[in-house]
Amino acid sequence: MQFLLWLLLIVIAFGAVSYYRMSMFNATVAMFAALVFGSVMGIVGGFTWLLYLIIAIPLNIESIRVQYLTSPILKLYKKIMPEMSSTEKDAIDAGTVWWDGEIFSGNPNWQVLHNIPQARLTAEEQAFLDGPVEEVCRMCNDWDVTHTRADLSPEVWQYLKDNKFFAMIIKKEYGGLDFSAYAQSRVLQKLSGVSAVLATTVGVPNSLGPGELLQHYGTPEQQNHYLPRLATGEEIPCFALTGPEAGSDAGSLPDTGVVCKGQWQGEEIIGLKLTFDKRYITLAPVATVIGLAFKMSDPEGLLGEQKDYGITCALLPRETEGLDIGNRHFPLNVPFQNGPIRGNDIFVPLDYIIGGVKMAGQGWRMLVECLSVGRCITLPSNSAGGAKSIALATGAYARIRRQFKIPVGSMEGIEEMLGRIGGNTYLMDAVTSFSTKGVDLGEKPSVISAICKYHLTEKMRQLVNDSMDVHGGKGIMLGPNNYLGRGYQGAPIAITVEGANILTRNMMIYGQGAMRCHPFVLKELFAANNPDEKQGLAEFDSALFAHIGFAISNFFRSLWFSITGARLAGAPFMDETSQYYRAMQRYSSNMAFLSDVAMGVLGGELKRRERISARLGDLLSYLYLGSCVLKRFDDEGRRSEDLPLVHWAMQDTLHKLEVSLEELLDNFPNYWLGKALKLVIMPFGKRFTKPSDQLDHAIATILQTPCEARSRLGKGQFLSREPGMLMGDLEQTLENVIASEPLYTKVCKAAKERYPFTNLDKIADKGLELGVLSEEQAELLRTTEQGRLRTINVDDFDPSELAQEVQKPKAKRKPKSAEAA
Ligand SMILES: Cc1cc2nc3c(=O)[nH]c(=O)nc-3n(C[C@H](O)[C@H](O)[C@H](O)COP(=O)(O)OP(=O)(O)OC[C@H]3O[C@@H](n4cnc5c(N)ncnc54)[C@H](O)[C@@H]3O)c2cc1C
């Protein structure tokens, strides 16, 4: 009995100092106090005191600790830590840590989250959205773009150039718009609701490419030459990194730039001989300035002693002699300009290198830095914008389309899809707003941008699939009246570009996240690599013991949260959302704890155990996505009408987090350790189930009924009600159908017959005949009928017209490899 009391005292005292993360000194004092109390109570004896002194003295006397503990550990650490490749180092160095660091702390401070200002547009940005963006959406007919021309119309191209759509990132001093990341995101959201080709064409020059690279790294001459021309659309940029042999492993590109002497405009100069084979390059067929990544070498030592420089970026004007450009790829019936670029022994001057010779070899770092921002904006915004328009359209369609005499949207099976569509749309918009705000605050959130890219493109794929199912044949029959089919076809494009998703989930999110966001891992790594060994040892000592304290704290926090179901954890709001803050507090501790265990058990091997790393990354991702939802709800005034969307998004996110957590523990490389961890972390299994049928029903109702929550969900999308505008027409028809229903019921009652909700023009005549409708009401029924038919009908084609179109995209030339064969 006395032993049990002793054990309880030690565990409680040690657990409390760990839970509250006391400093080493304070923890020593607190344990001392606990032992004094134990001695008075007669449960602590001499042996315990001896043990206490053996542990406390070396830990608290720095010279002893460093010599006998830290120094041998550092030696071992240096031996077992795998070498970091320079590309990995650049990736780690390239970004900054923001709210993701707080999530990784195991104890996120919610005040920090809610103190981050809400993203807002300036008056100029709002005017751009209401003016030129609205207008170009009106001008763009996606069927004409994707089927008839396989390109934007010349008028749209010109309008985009004239209104500086390609210059949203370019600074005002060069004639650009210099918009915030949030504003860029809103522009892309609106465009993507109308046409993926339009959104991609605008997105790419504003993302990773010559404009961005020149602003950050260009020489003044390059900036003054190119940036004003890019701002007015006189130059169209593209950036060529990918080739047949270097896709995901872009750093392994075989393209070369050899420093040599050659003739340039009649003079002999030192320049570069470039040989490259690039593919999949967006805007290449129409680009006038080509950003090119290649490996630079100087075998003759013309620039100095260095022979291999590594990845370098240059800008080539389109008219460069020998450049083979102009052919097009055909990306999944979403024919934005995309194609290969090749060159063999093309001689160019050294000042084509972005930033000049001093930036030779800095290409990878430049690209990764720009990508850490760009991946937060373009693809997530295109996905969220597409989702917003699809959510409105699907809700409207489900309400208008009837089968079995009721709107298909009131069938439970369809409600499941609508719930998923609405909940995910709320979340996706929350993520783009919050993440772009981070960029506007000066962050380069490389881990967050990988999370945004992966999760939002995956959610878009799920969402468009769901929407297709709700639409049935209407989504399948392509034609001018199909607003879904191209989005469905093109969904894998967003999955593949800017780091394909399997790679992003399995390697990038946690690979970078563990290093960057963990409060001590990077500090230990840098300390171990410090050339000043004495300083390195001191730094390692401080990081190591803080790390050990951190790990112990997360263990006790995890245990405590498991036992109590995190019911006693802090939450900034005492309302329906408090359960989510508490759960996230718990899972943050779990993630931090499991990270340390996984790194401790697997070491460098963790990098290769992709499925372990992917699931740890999932925990980080879901905690980030959940934070964005809670932040949005608060930023928008905690409106009760939005609660079904908030609950759905949080429950789905936390359920998925728990699935990943369980899978991680079930597949932990050490079976028994996995079992033990499960006992500590989730002894009672999963807490969150999938969102309930009731929630799906509530969201399905929101999507099918004009209301504030629905308007907020689709805010900012192109919904013009002018004739021929598909999305606006759906909105108008939805309102008309709802307004017509009581009139229809009135006529049925008066006629004592239940007519089908079709041929509303005939119902109108009947109503007039029976004297139960006014002329105005009858007119509404007739208008509703026309809108209803436009909504449910699909296009058909003359067979010869269709056959011609099918034959259209004949490849003009064989790929290079096939020619060689
Ligand atoms: C429409 C389109 C536009 C593009 N635009 C441009 C552009 O403008 N400029 C440019 O330079 N590039 C561009 N790209 C190239 C794009 O970035 C690459 O397609 C992408 O990096 C993937 O390369 P890959 O297609 O060769 O796939 P692969 O590298 O062959 O990958 C195949 C699969 O393996 C997975 N994988 C690879 N490595 C790992 C790993 N270590 N762990 C787990 N899974 C892994 C990938 O996720 C993918 O699912 C574009 C591509 C497309 C399709």
Side-chain angles (χ1 to χ4, degrees):
M1 182 65 184
Q2 201 178 2
F3 174 74
L4 283 180
L5 284 174
W6 174 87
L7 195 65
L8 195 66
L9 176 76
I10 298 293
V11 170
I12 290 176
F14 194 60
V17 299
S18 305
Y19 184 94
Y20 289 107
R21 300 189 169 174
M22 289 183 184
S23 68
M24 181 101 77
F25 180 73
N26 288 346
T28 311
V29 173
M31 287 304 290
F32 179 82
L35 294 191
V36 169
F37 173 75
S39 297
V40 172
M41 301 299 289
I43 50 178
V44 166
F47 174 74
T48 311
W49 279 107
L50 185 66
L51 200 68
Y52 171 77
L53 292 176
I54 291 173
I55 297 171
I57 291 174
L59 283 182
N60 282 281
I61 300 176
E62 193 182 323
S63 53
I64 301 180
R65 188 179 69 224
V66 170
Q67 190 179 351
Y68 294 105
L69 285 171
T70 313
S71 186
I73 293 176
L74 178 58
K75 275 192 196 123
L76 186 71
Y77 179 90
K78 283 184 176 173
K79 237 189 243 167
I80 58 173
M81 263 322 275
E83 283 280 306
M84 217 192 274
S85 71
S86 64
T87 46
E88 278 173 311
K89 203 165 177 308
D90 283 345
I92 299 279
D93 287 349
T96 59
V97 177
W98 187 46
W99 176 248
D100 42 341
E102 201 66 42
I103 293 174
F104 221 109
S105 71
N107 186 18
N109 180 347
W110 302 113
Q111 222 44 58
V112 171
L113 176 76
H114 290 298
N115 284 344
I116 294 168
Q118 183 182 3
R120 288 186 196 283
L121 297 169
T122 63
E124 187 192 350
E125 291 164 345
Q126 186 65 58
F128 188 76
L129 275 154
D130 296 339
V133 181
E134 184 84 2
E135 180 55 25
V136 82
C137 289
R138 197 175 285 123
M139 290 167 72
C140 190
N141 175 329
D142 198 44
W143 178 249
D144 177 55
V145 171
T146 57
H147 183 73
T148 317
R149 301 175 186 274
D151 195 4
L152 296 172
S153 71
E155 296 77 33
V156 168
W157 270 107
Q158 198 54 49
Y159 190 83
L160 293 175
K161 291 176 186 174
D162 291 347
N163 288 279
K164 302 193 176 180
F165 274 82
F166 301 140
M168 289 194 287
I169 51 161
I170 295 181
K171 293 201 177 79
K172 288 238 157 78
E173 58 191 286
Y174 299 110
L177 295 175
D178 199 7
F179 278 174
S180 62
Y182 177 65
Q184 290 172 49
S185 165
R186 298 288 119 173
V187 171
L188 294 173
Q189 283 199 358
K190 193 162 180 169
L191 300 180
S192 67
V194 171
S195 162
V197 175
L198 181 62
T200 308
T201 305
V202 172
V204 167
N206 285 297
S207 179
L208 174 69
E212 181 77 345
L213 293 171
L214 279 170
Q215 292 203 114
H216 284 98
Y217 313 101
T219 60
E221 295 75 34
Q222 290 170 336
Q223 290 174 337
N224 292 332
H225 176 74
Y226 279 115
L227 291 174
R229 294 153 71 91
L230 286 167
T232 55
E234 203 178 326
E235 301 275 8
I236 298 290
C238 71
F239 193 83
L241 171 66
T242 307
E245 305 297 347
S248 300
D249 186 11
S252 70
L253 48 88
D255 312 292
T256 54
V258 181
V259 179
C260 61
K261 289 185 180 161
Q263 288 296 314
W264 183 253
Q265 297 173 345
E267 271 180 53
E268 189 183 68
I269 61 162
I270 297 180
L272 281 170
K273 200 170 269 183
L274 297 169
T275 297
F276 53 91
D277 184 2
K278 303 290 193 183
R279 66 177 182 181
Y280 305 161
I281 311 305
T282 303
L283 294 187
V286 293
T288 60
V289 51
I290 292 94
L292 185 77
F294 57 89
K295 281 195 178 137
M296 180 167 140
S297 63
D298 180 14
E300 295 176 48
L302 296 173
L303 300 177
E305 291 194 353
Q306 192 173 347
K307 297 263 186 257
D308 288 315
Y309 281 81
I311 297 176
T312 303
C313 297
L315 281 186
L316 273 60
R318 186 184 183 96
E319 56 279 7
T320 303
E321 211 182 316
L323 203 59
D324 177 5
I325 187 170
N327 262 15
R328 290 183 65 175
H329 297 306
F330 190 26
L332 281 174
N333 273 341
V334 183
F336 54 86
Q337 295 285 343
N338 185 289
I341 311 180
R342 301 182 186 102
N344 200 7
D345 283 347
I346 296 182
F347 186 75
V348 299
L350 288 173
D351 56 18
Y352 278 17
I353 297 173
I354 298 177
V357 175
K358 71 173 193 313
M359 292 305 281
Q362 298 297 312
W364 190 251
R365 195 193 164 89
M366 285 156 67
L367 294 175
V368 175
E369 267 180 9
C370 292
L371 208 58
S372 64
V373 171
R375 297 217 306 170
C376 241
I377 306 174
T378 317
L379 292 164
S381 305
N382 287 353
S383 302
K388 285 163 78 172
S389 291
I390 288 175
L392 295 188
T394 314
Y397 183 82
R399 185 75 168 78
I400 298 165
R401 172 70 172 160
R402 286 175 172 242
Q403 288 294 285
F404 303 100
K405 298 197 174 79
I406 52 169
V408 293
S410 55
M411 296 163 184
E412 287 199 353
I414 298 282
E415 283 186 346
E416 183 185 352
M417 310 290 151
L418 293 177
R420 203 153 50 209
I421 290 172
N424 276 322
T425 302
Y426 185 87
L427 178 147
M428 290 165 82
D429 204 12
V431 172
T432 49
S433 300
F434 184 59
S435 311
T436 52
K437 182 68 198 176
V439 172
D440 289 332
L441 290 172
E443 301 293 339
K444 288 184 180 172
S446 51
V447 177
I448 288 176
S449 64
I451 293 173
C452 292
K453 193 272 163 174
Y454 174 81
H455 286 275
L456 267 55
T457 55
E458 289 292 342
K459 281 183 184 292
M460 176 59 188
R461 174 154 68 175
Q462 162 88 67
L463 207 136
V464 73
N465 257 329
D466 284 340
S467 180
M468 285 292 285
D469 292 349
V470 172
H471 280 78
K474 168 78 181 176
I476 289 165
M477 297 310 162
L478 289 174
N481 286 305
N482 185 328
Y483 43 82
L484 263 187
R486 294 301 192 215
Y488 171 76
Q489 287 180 314
I493 298 176
I495 301 288
T496 304
V497 299
E498 290 190 8
N501 274 6
I502 302 177
L503 168 91
T504 302
R505 173 169 177 247
N506 286 267
M507 274 186 81
M508 295 174 76
I509 295 177
Y510 190 73
Q512 288 187 32
M515 284 289 187
R516 289 212 57 83
C517 304
H518 191 293
F520 304 110
V521 165
L522 209 55
K523 284 186 189 154
E524 286 162 351
L525 197 72
F526 287 152
N529 286 308
N530 192 334
D532 180 341
E533 285 193 9
K534 199 167 161 213
Q535 196 192 3
L537 184 61
E539 286 169 1
F540 189 78
D541 175 67
S542 117
L544 176 72
F545 283 94
H547 189 163
I548 293 171
F550 176 74
I552 295 173
S553 162
N554 286 319
F555 167 76
F556 277 105
R557 291 176 70 83
S558 295
L559 188 65
W560 177 244
F561 290 145
S562 300
I563 295 167
T564 58
R567 282 180 191 84
L568 303 174
F573 301 99
M574 289 302 133
D575 59 13
E576 293 184 58
T577 61
S578 62
Q579 52 173 324
Y580 305 129
Y581 288 99
R582 292 191 176 116
M584 299 219 319
Q585 193 85 0
R586 170 183 180 176
Y587 295 125
S588 168
S589 298
N590 292 168
M591 182 192 60
F593 173 54
L594 285 175
S595 282
D596 279 324
V597 176
M599 284 190 255
V601 172
L602 292 171
E605 180 66 14
L606 180 56
K607 202 163 78 173
R608 281 173 288 280
R609 297 303 300 268
E610 287 190 347
R611 300 194 69 182
I612 299 296
S613 177
R615 287 166 183 138
L616 284 164
D618 288 346
L619 304 188
L620 180 59
S621 298
Y622 290 127
L623 288 169
Y624 181 74
L625 303 184
S627 306
C628 295
V629 171
L630 295 174
K631 170 81 173 140
R632 172 178 180 174
F633 181 58
D634 191 52
D635 282 348
E636 291 182 343
R638 311 187 74 74
R639 296 170 197 248
S640 57
E641 317 88 81
D642 292 349
L643 273 173
L645 297 160
V646 175
H647 284 310
W648 194 101
M650 289 307 301
Q651 289 172 20
D652 181 67
T653 301
L654 292 173
H655 170 70
K656 287 188 172 132
L657 183 150
E658 288 182 341
V659 170
S660 286
L661 183 56
E662 193 166 50
E663 282 177 8
L664 172 67
L665 297 172
D666 287 344
N667 291 282
F668 211 74
N670 181 318
Y671 178 81
W672 290 111
L673 184 56
K675 290 275 165 233
L677 288 169
K678 202 165 177 181
L679 211 61
V680 172
I681 285 175
M682 38 184 2
F684 309 117
K686 294 198 282 289
R687 224 194 105 203
F688 284 92
T689 52
K690 275 163 72 171
S692 66
D693 297 356
Q694 249 177 328
L695 268 183
D696 285 343
H697 173 73
I699 295 176
T701 308
I702 290 175
L703 288 191
Q704 296 177 80
T705 324
C707 59
E708 278 188 31
R710 184 177 188 274
S711 302
R712 259 193 302 282
L713 205 60
K715 192 172 170 216
Q717 294 310 99
F718 179 68
L719 298 172
S720 164
R721 308 253 171 130
E722 288 164 57
M725 303 294 142
L726 295 179
M727 294 292 153
D729 192 34
L730 270 170
E731 290 294 290
Q732 185 62 57
T733 306
L734 170 67
E735 287 173 17
N736 290 348
V737 163
I738 290 172
S740 294
E741 278 169 354
L743 305 178
Y744 151 85
T745 309
K746 211 171 174 183
V747 178
C748 290
K749 267 193 189 153
K752 296 196 178 62
E753 196 167 342
R754 183 151 184 234
Y755 300 116
F757 195 80
T758 57
N759 298 315
L760 297 177
D761 44 348
K762 297 210 172 80
I763 305 256
D765 295 342
K766 190 81 191 164
L768 286 174
E769 189 189 311
L770 294 170
V772 292
L773 291 186
S774 67
E775 185 49 53
E776 201 185 333
Q777 289 171 327
E779 192 51 34
L780 173 64
L781 280 176
R782 289 187 201 108
T783 311
T784 305
E785 179 62 9
Q786 286 162 12
R788 200 185 67 80
L789 290 177
R790 279 196 303 277
T791 304
I792 64 169
N793 285 343
V794 299
D795 301 288
D796 47 48
F797 300 88
D798 182 280
S800 59
E801 187 189 350
L802 208 53
Q804 271 173 11
E805 297 303 337
V806 169
Q807 282 165 15
K808 224 175 172 183
K810 246 187 218 165
K812 274 195 234 141
R813 101 202 255 282
K814 290 180 201 154
K816 213 178 174 193
S817 50
E819 276 169 13

